[in-house]
């Protein structure tokens, strides 16, 4: 009988622990996008980064503020070595490229992390066409869309078809891309006007 009572007490404590405010992430709404607060801060993708993962932040400060799960050197552009760190958020991980010990560029490959207006991996080209002065540009063999509305970031596209290989596109040119074209990655590099 005592063992059975002990089992119920342990189950009750476990259920109570799971629903406690300390073990659940706080939610808040920013426009139409909900965001979470993690050990690394707010999880909205912005022009300077995500939470404490900011353009220009030192790796040392990241280690103090965030959960850095990997720090490694890989083959980067044109086969050159590139230092990259992987930072854990409550929704997913984010990769940051490090130059001179500081965050130089952030790559978001997860659909779980989005901008304040809910743009992220998986967002279709139709939504990007709605951004002010949005335009396409080639970089690293890929087509990206940028807009002053999202200064400091660009959106890599997948499924752009043959038009995507023709080079830069003005706003009107984006309407020539197939409707199934979508964001496959967000790059954050920082907004010069924010500094």
């Amino acid at each position: 009988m005592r063992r059975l009572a002990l089992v119920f007490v342990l189950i009750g404590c476990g259920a109570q622990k799971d629903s406690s405010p300390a073990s659940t992430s706080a939610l808040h709404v920013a426009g139409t996008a909900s965001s979470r607060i993690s050990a690394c801060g707010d999880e909205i993708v912005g022009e300077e980064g995500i939470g404490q993962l900011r353009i220009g932040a030192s790796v040392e400060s990241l280690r103090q503020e965030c959960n850095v799960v990997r720090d490694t050197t890989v083959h980067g552009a044109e086969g050159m070595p590139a230092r990259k760190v992987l930072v854990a958020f409550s929704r997913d991980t984010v990769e940051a490229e490090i130059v001179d010990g500081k965050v130089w560029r952030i790559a978001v490959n997860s659909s779980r992390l989005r901008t304040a207006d809910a743009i992220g991996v998986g967002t279709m080209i139709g939504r990007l066409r709605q951004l002010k002065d949005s335009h396409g540009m080639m970089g690293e063999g890929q087509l990206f869309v940028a807009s002053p509305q999202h200064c400091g970031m660009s959106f890599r596209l997948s499924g752009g078809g043959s038009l995507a290989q023709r080079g830069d596109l003005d706003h009107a040119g984006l309407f020539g891309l197939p409707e199934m074209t979508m964001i496959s990655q967000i790059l954050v590099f920082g907004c010069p006007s924010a500094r």
Side-chain angles (χ1 to χ4, degrees), residues 34-103:
S34 65
S35 66
R36 293 181 188 252
I37 305 295
S38 72
C40 200
D42 191 339
E43 295 189 9
I44 293 290
V45 180
E47 62 190 26
E48 292 297 316
I50 309 166
Q52 299 302 317
L53 176 57
R54 319 276 303 160
I55 299 300
S58 68
V59 174
E60 292 75 24
S61 69
L62 279 183
R63 290 188 185 285
Q64 292 172 2
E65 300 289 335
C66 304
N67 179 12
V68 176
V69 295
R70 187 175 66 215
D71 184 343
T72 189
T73 300
V74 298
H75 291 292
E78 300 175 358
M80 299 297 291
R83 182 180 178 191
K84 297 194 177 184
V85 297
L86 195 65
V87 178
F89 286 87
S90 68
R91 294 180 177 196
D92 219 323
T93 55
V94 175
E95 186 179 76
E97 190 166 346
I98 307 300
V99 174
D100 296 329
K102 295 183 178 179
V103 175

Side-chain angles (χ1 to χ4, degrees), residues 104-127:
W104 175 68
R105 184 169 67 176
I106 299 166
V108 179
N109 297 304
S110 171
S111 62
R112 296 182 182 113
L113 297 163
R114 297 183 167 265
T115 64
D117 56 352
I119 294 175
V121 171
T123 297
M124 306 304 280
I125 187 64
R127 177 67 183 90

